[in-house]
Amino acid sequence: MRDMGIDESGMTEIEAEIVAHPTHPMIRGLKGVRKARIQRPGMGKRGGARVVYYVAIGSDRFYMMAAYAKSERDDLSTEQRRRILTVLESIKKTDN
């Protein structure tokens, strides 16, 4: 996140927004993983970024899985999606 110009304060704001409103669109095929659109500091409307996260149902935990600048890519790569699914399996085993 730092490479996108988001400092600790900005991260805290993003985390608070996700916790308060964890209803961003789900990413198809990623079993409940969601994608939030965020604005990067000093970048204006076109300088957006995406934060990919998972909220564990029945717990007070959420997991930030990935973040990327919209200008760098439109979506997650096949490899990123595979890794997220692998991590998600581990999270779900741990939470049960």
Side-chain angles (χ1 to χ4, degrees), residues 43-56:
M43 297 299 287
K45 279 189 165 186
R46 294 185 177 253
R50 305 296 181 257
V51 174
V52 178
Y53 69 93
Y54 173 72
V55 176

Side-chain angles (χ1 to χ4, degrees), residues 22-76:
T23 57
H24 298 94
M26 281 192 229
I27 301 172
R28 188 181 343 229
L30 290 185
K31 301 178 181 179
V33 173
R34 297 177 180 270
K35 177 169 53 176
R37 291 168 171 80
I38 62 169
Q39 186 173 354
R40 295 186 309 164
M43 297 299 287
K45 279 189 165 186
R46 294 185 177 253
R50 305 296 181 257
V51 174
V52 178
Y53 69 93
Y54 173 72
V55 176
I57 296 173
S59 77
D60 58 352
R61 294 187 217 150
F62 80 96
Y63 302 87
M64 295 184 87
M65 313 287 274
Y68 57 91
K70 185 70 174 143
S71 62
E72 292 177 9
R73 68 174 62 96
D74 287 327
D75 207 352
L76 297 168

Side-chain angles (χ1 to χ4, degrees), residues 3 9-10 36 67 70 73 77-80 92:
D3 60 336
S9 173
K70 185 70 174 143
R73 68 174 62 96
S77 69
T78 302
E79 178 63 18
Q80 288 170 315
K92 288 182 176 185

